[in-house]
Amino acid sequence: MTSSYVANERRPRRISYEEVRARLGEPEAMIKAKVHDRVDRHGHRFIAHSPFVAMATADATGLPDCSPRGDYPGFVKVLDERTLAIPDRPGNKLADSFRNLAENDGIGLMFVVPGLREVFRVNGRAYPTDEPDVLARMRTEGKEAELAIIVEVAETFFHCGRALVRSRLWDPASQALADELPSAGEIATEQMGLDLDPSVLEDMLETSYRQLY
């Protein structure tokens, strides 16, 4: 059966926030109480053990971008209960997050600790810095970050683990899903129209990964 949905012809119905709220109902008082305006000792400890954070920003038009950031556990530094610092390590140099922050300083972070179902979320305002004292705190194996993103914390909360439970993210059996996908080299050669053996790109990627530290 052919779907009646055709991109750019008839999109699924848009509903208002009021309709969404009417369907979902109101959150319980206990849920609202978990939102704080600072990083407490539990959030601080979670960040200190997290090797990965998803960082969301948006440009002046509201077009969003979500960037993965990862390093040794605790790579994001808690400068104080209302301030975080995220190191900027060498990457693709597109600087999408920096461009967005220049237009719209809103930021959202989601910290993950491997093996835990719950995540820690931080929302606030952010800007880039080259402050030497901040960069020195982010030294990893003798290498300092070129820049850092300073996050002025507006709200923090722990998010329940339903999403990670449903996704079976930490189930070793889920890793078999990777075998169903083409390799990064195969994807890149097709998307960029390269007349190149995908294995060449895969070797280049592996070499670059080994040189990170």
Side-chain angles (χ1 to χ4, degrees):
M1 179 176 179
T2 303
S3 172
S4 60
Y5 166 70
V6 179
N8 298 321
E9 285 190 15
R10 191 178 77 79
R11 296 185 179 279
R13 183 174 80 91
R14 181 193 297 267
I15 63 176
S16 67
Y17 174 73
E18 290 72 22
E19 290 177 280
V20 171
R21 179 51 70 195
R23 284 176 177 260
L24 298 182
E26 292 292 334
E28 297 179 2
M30 184 176 67
I31 299 298
K32 292 181 178 180
K34 72 178 183 178
V35 180
H36 301 279
D37 63 355
R38 65 195 67 196
V39 178
D40 67 6
R41 65 186 183 92
H42 300 293
H44 192 160
R45 190 172 185 179
F46 196 99
I47 292 172
H49 287 77
S50 174
F52 179 84
V53 61
M55 183 176 77
T57 58
D59 65 18
T61 70
L63 184 68
D65 176 79
C66 189
S67 174
R69 301 293 173 112
D71 212 316
Y72 288 118
F75 73 100
V76 175
K77 303 302 181 185
V78 180
L79 303 186
D80 59 54
E81 63 182 7
R82 296 183 184 274
T83 315
L84 306 181
I86 307 171
D88 186 64
R89 305 295 186 194
N92 57 26
K93 300 185 180 181
L94 290 176
D96 294 325
S97 299
F98 289 114
R99 184 192 64 239
N100 286 348
L101 291 175
E103 301 178 6
N104 176 353
D105 64 357
I107 192 168
L109 306 173
M110 186 182 76
F111 291 92
V112 177
V113 172
L116 283 184
R117 296 172 298 182
E118 291 71 29
V119 300
F120 184 60
R121 293 174 56 180
V122 177
N123 296 320
R125 304 290 177 183
Y127 61 89
T129 187
D130 62 353
E131 182 70 39
D133 290 345
V134 173
L135 299 183
R137 292 186 60 174
M138 298 176 171
R139 183 186 297 271
T140 300
E141 296 190 347
K143 299 178 182 178
E144 289 187 6
E146 291 292 328
L147 297 167
I149 293 174
I150 299 299
V151 179
E152 298 172 340
V153 176
E155 62 178 11
T156 71
F157 56 97
F158 283 94
H159 197 125
C160 76
R162 289 189 180 92
L164 267 66
V165 171
R166 293 184 183 120
S167 71
R168 298 173 177 81
L169 186 63
W170 306 129
D171 185 346
S174 294
Q175 295 181 13
L177 294 170
D179 297 332
E180 304 299 322
L181 295 174
S183 69
E186 291 170 330
I187 294 172
T189 52
E190 180 177 333
Q191 289 185 334
M192 294 187 287
L194 300 176
D195 184 16
L196 191 68
D197 187 330
S199 64
V200 175
L201 280 182
E202 290 160 22
D203 289 342
M204 291 171 60
L205 283 172
E206 286 301 318
T207 298
S208 69
Y209 294 154
R210 288 194 296 270
Q211 292 174 344
L212 285 176
Y213 300 112

